[in-house]
């Protein structure tokens, strides 16, 4: 997939993805030239975007709009130079404080409290699977407040996914390990319109996962899960 792109096309695609993650608005050539200080003309950028469009890395939601990344583009983003981001000290402090406040109490409730803090920090839906068919989720309002959920079909699909969440999480529980795994779009066993990041604390669980739109901050969200795994592993 990646050998089909020139270095300039890769850099442009990276810029488009970054911009769309931040704004959820279609990205145009003039904005890219101005904001990213490109040393090429907007006409050249448009031509490159047409080529990226032809290779199914970009889509055009409306005739007169800019472009948005496709599922294939996010796959590129994750496979090309993706690095789990170190989270901020404030984020670490909030998660660590949540765990500290639960010491000496029920571990299950402590994990639920941590999931709530994760939902607040990430702005996504957090899933916890303790064992097969034993799960908890929080942050559903975060998910439904995203611009993507203006689409009624996506809302209906997600509602169906929630109705079958126990079965889908049970299958996932045995497929993932203690490394951060990212499932984008059609790869996502929960909902193919969204992306999922998972990490399992040990072979017996629990599994903790973050569910959000394909337009999510993958690097930061993976960092939040990795740090949470560290906290949970040391939680007594």
């Amino acid at each position: 997939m990646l050998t089909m792109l020139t270095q300039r096309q890769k850099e442009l695609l990276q810029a488009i993805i970054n911009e769309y993650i931040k704004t959820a608005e279609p990205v145009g050539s003039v904005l890219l030239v101005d904001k990213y200080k490109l040393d090429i003309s907007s006409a050249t950028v448009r031509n490159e975007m047409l080529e990226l469009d032809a290779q199914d890395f970009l889509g055009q939601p409306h005739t007169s709009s800019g472009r948005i990344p496709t599922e294939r583009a996010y796959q590129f983003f994750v496979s090309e130079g993706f690095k789990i981001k170190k989270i901020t000290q404030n984020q670490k402090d909030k998660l660590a404080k949540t765990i500290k406040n639960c010491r000496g109490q029920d571990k299950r409730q402590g994990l639920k409290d941590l999931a709530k803090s994760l939902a607040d920090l990430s702005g996504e839906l957090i899933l916890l699977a303790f064992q097969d068919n034993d799960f908890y989720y929080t942050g559903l309002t975060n998910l439904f407040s995203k611009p993507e959920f203006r689409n009624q079909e996506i809302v209906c699909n997600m509602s169906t996914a929630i109705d079958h969440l126990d079965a889908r999480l049970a299958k996932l529980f045995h497929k993932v390990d203690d490394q951060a795994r990212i499932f984008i779009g059609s790869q996502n066993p929960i909902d193919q319109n969204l992306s999922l990041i998972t990490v399992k604390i040990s072979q017996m669980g629990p599994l903790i996962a973050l569910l959000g739109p394909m337009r999510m901050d993958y690097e930061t969200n993976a960092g939040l899960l990795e740090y949470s795994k560290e906290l949970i592993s040391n939680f007594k």
Side-chain angles (χ1 to χ4, degrees), residues 13-56:
L13 184 57
Q14 187 80 54
I16 292 167
I17 291 170
N18 288 340
E19 192 65 24
Y20 190 65
I21 285 174
K22 294 174 186 175
T23 68
E25 295 291 338
V27 182
S29 58
V30 174
L31 180 145
L32 287 171
V33 171
D34 291 345
K35 185 169 182 177
Y36 291 85
K37 310 299 181 185
L38 303 180
D39 58 358
I40 53 177
S41 68
S42 58
T44 300
V45 173
R46 281 195 296 273
N47 288 336
E48 294 286 29
M49 291 172 74
L50 286 172
E51 180 61 29
L52 290 168
D53 198 330
Q55 294 190 49
D56 196 31

Side-chain angles (χ1 to χ4, degrees), residues 36-103:
Y36 291 85
K37 310 299 181 185
L38 303 180
D39 58 358
I40 53 177
S41 68
S42 58
T44 300
V45 173
R46 281 195 296 273
N47 288 336
E48 294 286 29
M49 291 172 74
L50 286 172
E51 180 61 29
L52 290 168
D53 198 330
Q55 294 190 49
D56 196 31
F57 288 101
L58 298 178
Q60 190 175 25
H62 307 291
T63 304
S64 59
S65 73
R67 262 52 175 192
I68 65 173
T70 62
E71 178 181 329
R72 191 180 190 192
Y74 292 112
Q75 295 284 1
F76 160 84
F77 179 78
V78 168
S79 62
E80 179 85 355
F82 172 81
K83 294 180 180 179
I84 296 178
K85 188 177 292 185
K86 291 183 178 180
I87 62 175
T88 67
Q89 190 60 48
N90 285 340
Q91 290 170 326
K92 288 182 178 180
D93 290 345
K94 181 168 183 176
L95 294 171
K97 183 178 179 181
T98 302
I99 285 291
K100 183 178 179 180
N101 289 341
C102 295
R103 293 199 182 280

Side-chain angles (χ1 to χ4, degrees), residues 106-141:
D106 176 57
K107 184 175 181 178
R108 184 186 181 92
Q109 185 58 49
L111 295 177
K112 289 182 178 181
D113 290 345
L114 183 68
K116 291 175 184 177
S117 292
L118 265 176
D120 289 340
L121 291 172
S122 66
E124 312 290 2
L125 175 68
I126 304 300
L127 303 166
L128 270 176
F130 297 98
Q131 298 176 28
D132 292 356
N133 302 315
D134 181 6
F135 67 93
Y136 169 80
Y137 64 85
T138 183
L140 189 59
T141 301

